[in-house]
Amino acid sequence: MMTDLENSTGKDVIVRVRGLEKTYETSSEKLTILKNLDMDVRKGSKCVIVGKSGSGKSTLLNIIGGLDVATAGTVDVNGKIISSMEENELTDYRSHFLGLVFQFHYLLKDFTALENVFLPAYMAGIPKKTAMEKARSLLCDVGLEDRMTHLPSQLSGGERQRVAVARSLVNDPELILADEPTGNLDPANAVLIGDLLFSMADRYQKTLILVTHDMNLAQKGNVRFFIKDGALTEEGKQ
């Protein structure tokens, strides 16, 4: 059976990783996290990368997101090589093309849920009224219509992460990157947030790349990659 990588064509691949390596060096040692790694992600797919803590899955996601730099190899996202982007191109890429959800919500503590979702859109140049309408609509979609005026300190952990999911979609990105999005939650909220991420990606027709060590969450993806000792293997359900 051919893998997703072997079947992929140029037209339907939104992320193409080739020969990726990441090495950290200190005065006393050299540690290679990722080794000659290849990966293709099809547009519209829900891709999960599974691996133990320290396996390199978050490093891979950060490189795709332009938050870290590879030692060797290329990451081509929608026809553009990440390492070739100027700083202003990277900023535009992260604010318009990507939606980011992290293990910690990173909400601004002095701003309400609504303001936290509104601000990235407003800062990206969307008119204030339109940005506010989009923020309200997304908060309703994640079930927080009654919590919009609450500060992060007044929200539960699960509610804060719902705000983070809404915020990741406000600029209508092509690609959502989620790094252990349920890692700080209790089991019940972890299930709810996992279901929410996949349902919102489906609803808004977004490509999702999610990294996790939670095999229950991993089962929700239609393509699964397993990372071990810096290498990647794939199991697809498409």
Side-chain angles (χ1 to χ4, degrees):
M1 180 178 176
M2 295 181 74
T3 66
D4 188 59
L5 179 60
E6 293 168 325
N7 273 315
S8 296
T9 65
K11 287 192 291 186
D12 67 358
V13 174
I14 191 170
V15 178
R16 187 183 299 277
V17 178
R18 290 292 181 271
L20 196 71
E21 295 190 7
K22 179 63 179 180
T23 299
Y24 295 97
E25 291 189 56
T26 66
S27 57
S28 59
E29 65 176 341
K30 182 177 179 179
L31 180 63
T32 299
I33 303 295
L34 303 174
K35 305 172 184 176
N36 195 30
L37 187 147
D38 292 344
M39 182 177 74
D40 279 11
V41 177
R42 290 182 179 180
K43 186 176 177 65
S45 66
K46 309 300 178 286
C47 166
V48 178
I49 303 169
V50 183
K52 294 180 179 178
S53 179
S55 62
K57 58 188 187 298
S58 292
T59 299
L60 173 58
L61 203 73
N62 286 338
I63 292 172
I64 294 172
L67 303 170
D68 200 350
V69 180
T71 306
T74 60
V75 177
D76 179 327
V77 181
N78 212 34
K80 286 195 172 185
I81 304 296
I82 300 293
S83 59
S84 299
M85 290 183 182
E86 301 290 341
E87 192 57 43
N88 63 323
E89 291 180 291
L90 274 174
T91 299
D92 187 67
Y93 167 66
R94 288 190 289 256
S95 62
H96 291 92
F97 192 85
L98 294 183
L100 300 170
V101 183
F102 299 99
Q103 183 172 349
F104 185 71
H105 52 79
Y106 292 112
L107 300 181
L108 300 171
K109 66 183 181 67
D110 295 323
F111 291 83
T112 66
L114 181 61
E115 290 166 339
N116 267 282
V117 179
F118 156 82
L119 277 171
Y122 185 58
M123 292 175 67
I126 296 175
K128 184 175 181 180
K129 183 179 179 181
T130 303
M132 192 64 76
E133 288 172 352
K134 289 184 72 174
R136 288 183 186 279
S137 177
L138 284 165
L139 284 170
C140 288
D141 286 347
V142 299
L144 292 178
E145 57 271 17
D146 297 328
R147 310 288 280 171
M148 293 189 191
T149 60
H150 288 64
L151 297 171
S153 61
Q154 299 169 315
L155 300 173
S156 69
E159 288 172 336
R160 290 173 199 155
Q161 203 66 330
R162 287 195 221 176
V163 177
V165 171
R167 181 183 58 190
S168 75
L169 288 160
V170 74
N171 284 336
D172 195 24
E174 292 285 330
L175 175 63
I176 298 172
L177 303 180
D179 187 3
E180 294 281 9
T182 64
N184 278 339
L185 302 175
D186 61 81
N189 271 309
V191 171
L192 288 173
I193 294 300
D195 287 344
L196 179 67
L197 257 174
F198 281 92
S199 66
M200 292 291 279
D202 276 335
R203 178 171 183 171
Y204 287 96
Q205 299 180 310
K206 305 302 180 186
T207 305
L208 173 66
I209 305 177
L210 181 148
V211 304
T212 185
H213 64 273
D214 182 345
M215 289 305 299
N216 290 324
L217 180 57
Q219 295 298 321
K220 300 179 188 298
N222 57 12
V223 178
R224 288 189 296 277
F225 292 96
F226 297 86
I227 189 166
K228 183 179 180 181
D229 298 327
L232 207 65
T233 57
E234 178 189 349
E235 174 187 301
K237 299 197 300 182
Q238 289 184 325

